[in-house]
Amino acid sequence: VLKLPGAILAWLAFFCYCGAELTAGLWGSSYLVKAKGISADTAARWISLFYMGITLGRFLCGFLAVRFKNRSLVRLGLVICLAGCLLLLLPLPAAASMPGFVLFGLGCAPVFPGLLHETPVRFGREASQAMMGTQMAFGYIGSTILPPLFGLAASGGFISLFPWFLLLLTGGMILSSEGVDLRAVRRQ
């Protein structure tokens, strides 16, 4: 699978996605408490709304998949993730930036299932099992490495870099996902 055009970029997309989702869920409330100065109870509620955004988004994507292609849903999700990151980055009061977590969760919803569903189209049916397995492996590596990596930064007093970290991972998802579409031989 290493020789397949776009394989490395596909792995990077899963690495970034899983790392971003877990980092947002694990460190989002700490960011809201330490950088935005809100109470721990309120922060926990907003992070639960991040997960509610993912759940609601996946539910809605089930209906939208009838009318839109996976690639379009993934792109829409990544744009919404980007909007959520930008809302967190703006120097707004906490009450105005907290919805960025909901947007980020809503944007995450179509990315993982959409990228998996595109695997046979991007890489062919004969390579799709191996690609799916390796994509999942890189997703797990991202979710294992990236949240603790950000935790090191947070423990060093850099919790305010949280939205920048999510933005970096979202940018990685966008560039790698679009790069796969440019390099992979699309097969029907």
Side-chain angles (χ1 to χ4, degrees):
V1 292
L2 190 57
K3 294 180 182 179
L4 290 171
I8 293 171
L9 290 172
W11 298 333
L12 181 61
F14 279 85
F15 178 83
C16 290
Y17 172 80
C18 291
E21 182 183 317
L22 241 55
T23 301
L26 292 173
W27 289 101
S29 59
S30 296
Y31 169 74
L32 289 173
V33 171
K34 293 181 181 179
K36 293 291 185 173
I38 68 166
S39 71
D41 291 347
T42 303
R45 274 189 292 251
W46 279 99
I47 295 306
S48 68
L49 290 175
F50 160 72
Y51 287 111
M52 183 58 107
I54 293 174
T55 304
L56 177 63
R58 294 233 168 112
F59 179 76
L60 291 174
C61 283
F63 293 107
L64 293 174
V66 174
R67 293 190 47 100
F68 299 98
K69 293 181 178 183
N70 281 318
R71 290 173 56 198
S72 298
L73 291 174
V74 168
R75 285 181 178 138
L76 176 63
L78 291 171
V79 167
I80 294 171
C81 281
L82 190 59
C85 288
L86 294 177
L87 196 55
L88 289 169
L89 274 171
L90 293 174
L92 300 170
S97 63
M98 288 186 291
F101 283 102
V102 179
L103 275 178
F104 192 76
L106 193 62
C108 282
V111 176
F112 189 84
L115 290 177
L116 271 181
H117 198 263
E118 279 293 291
T119 302
V121 176
R122 287 175 160 175
F123 300 104
R125 291 195 183 276
E126 58 282 345
S128 65
Q129 270 190 321
M131 271 308 295
M132 281 188 186
T134 56
Q135 288 172 146
M136 295 297 293
F138 275 88
Y140 289 130
I141 292 168
S143 63
T144 301
I145 292 174
L146 293 175
L149 182 65
F150 181 76
L152 286 173
S155 67
F158 296 103
I159 191 76
S160 61
L161 293 179
F162 175 78
W164 291 103
F165 193 74
L166 290 184
L167 184 64
L168 176 71
L169 295 176
T170 301
M173 285 186 273
I174 292 169
L175 292 174
S176 57
S177 177
E178 291 300 314
V180 173
D181 282 337
L182 292 174
R183 286 174 180 76
V185 178
R186 298 198 63 82
R187 301 170 181 152
Q188 296 287 2

